[in-house]
Amino acid sequence: MKQPGFFDVEERLARLSGLGDQLEAFSRTVDFEVFRPDLELALAYSDGSKGGRPPFDPVLMFKILVIQTLNNLSDERTEYLINDRLSFMRFLGLGLSDRVPDAKTVWLFRERLTQAGAIERLFDRFDTTLRNAGYLPMSGQILDATLVAAPKQRNTNAEKADLRAGRLPEDWQDKPAKLAHKDRHARWTLKFTKAKRQDDGTMPSSDLAIPFFGYKSHISIDRKYRFIRKWKTTDAAASDGARLREGLLDKTNTASSVWADTAYRSKANEDFMEKQGFVSKVHRKKPQLKPMPRHIQKSNAGKSVIRSRVEHVFADQKSQMGLFIRTVGITRATMRIGLANIVYNMRRFLFLERMNVSA
C-alpha cells in the first residue's frame, strides 16, 4: 500500500471542503481567539517557569469541547475521532504527527472550567461577538423550557425522601465511590405528551404522562435573530414560571414584548414584568370548568405563531447535537447545557452569515 503523502492529504481535505465541512465553516466565521482571556483566567495556567510538559493550548481544548457538543461524543470517542478524522484535525490545527489530547486530558480541562464557573462568561463573551457583528436583541423575546434527560438513579424510597429533603442518605456518607456516582440534584417529573388517536378513530380523554428524570433547560431568545440571550439550568421538577423572575429576561432587547406559554402566566410574573417595563404576551389559561372564550382563543393562536420559534432551538439541540446529560450533579449539567447554548448560537450565527452573503 502506498504511503500517504502531503499532497494526498491536501487533496482529501479539498474534497472535504467541497462536500461542505461544517467545522471549516466554523473556523472561517467564528473567531475562537475571543475566548482565550476567559479560558486562561478560568484555568489559571502557570507561566511554565517550573518546567514540565506545557499544557495544551486552551483555545484548542475549547474547540474540542465544541466538537464534542456538536456530535454528542464521550471523551473516549472524542479522542478516537480526533485521531481518525482529517476534518477534526484541520479544525483543531493539528497535523498527522502532532500530539492529540487523550480522554483524561479532555475531562480534566472541562472539569476545571466547570469548577471555575466559566461557562457563563464564555457564553457572554460570544454574545458580545454577536452584538458587535450587528445581531442586537430585537423585536422582543420568547421564553420556554425543555427537559434534558440524565442517567436514571436506582435509589430506595428512603434515599429519595432524604434527597428531596436536602439530606445526604446515611448509607452514602461513608462510601465516597458510591456518592461520586449518585446524582443528588436531578429530579423526577412527569412529561405530558398529546395522546394519539386510537385504532377505532377515537381520542383518549386525557394526555399521556410519562415519568422523566433529569434536568431542565430554560432559555430566552430574541424574536428577530433567534439567538439564545439568557439561560438557566434547574432540576427537571422546577417550575418554569418562577424562572422568569430569576434573570431570564433580557433588558437589552430593543422591544419590550415577552412571549411565553401558560406555564409563565401568574400574577407574580405579570406584576414583575409590568414593574420592569415589559409587555406581557404570555398565553392566557383556560378558565376552570368553562369553555375558552373565543377572543382569548384567537389571541393565543396569534401568540403561538411567534412563540413557536423557540421550539426550533430545542429541536436543533436535541436532534442535531443529541443533548443529553452524561455527568453527575447540577454544576456539570449547567456546563453541558451552557456549551449546547453556545454551540447553538454559533450554528445560528453561521446560518445568518451565509444568508447575508447570498442575499
Side-chain angles (χ1 to χ4, degrees), residues 4-46:
F6 173 79
F7 292 106
D8 296 316
V9 174
E10 288 295 305
E11 181 180 352
R12 182 62 59 86
L13 288 172
R15 290 186 63 186
L16 289 172
S17 299
L19 293 170
D21 181 3
Q22 180 181 219
L23 291 177
E24 185 182 28
F26 266 53
S27 295
R28 287 196 306 265
T29 309
V30 178
D31 180 12
F32 283 92
E33 282 297 318
V34 300
F35 297 105
R36 184 178 294 278
D38 297 296
L39 292 170
E40 292 181 341
L41 179 64
L43 299 168
Y45 281 125
S46 68

Side-chain angles (χ1 to χ4, degrees), residues 224-292:
K224 182 173 178 63
Y225 297 115
R226 306 185 195 183
F227 286 115
I228 299 171
R229 301 294 182 169
K230 297 289 183 180
W231 62 280
K232 190 177 183 67
T233 301
T234 66
D235 63 78
S239 165
D240 293 359
R243 308 288 83 77
L244 181 145
R245 305 188 301 277
E246 297 178 356
L248 203 58
L249 291 175
D250 182 11
K251 295 182 179 180
T252 67
N253 199 291
T254 60
S256 57
S257 298
V258 177
W259 284 266
D261 62 27
T262 55
Y264 296 85
R265 169 68 69 169
S266 69
K267 187 178 186 306
N269 282 351
E270 296 299 305
D271 291 344
F272 178 83
M273 284 189 283
E274 184 177 0
K275 289 179 181 178
Q276 296 294 321
F278 294 103
V279 177
S280 174
K281 301 288 185 180
V282 180
H283 277 48
R284 292 188 176 273
K285 299 178 181 179
K286 178 183 176 298
Q288 192 171 12
L289 303 178
K290 293 181 180 179
M292 176 76 82

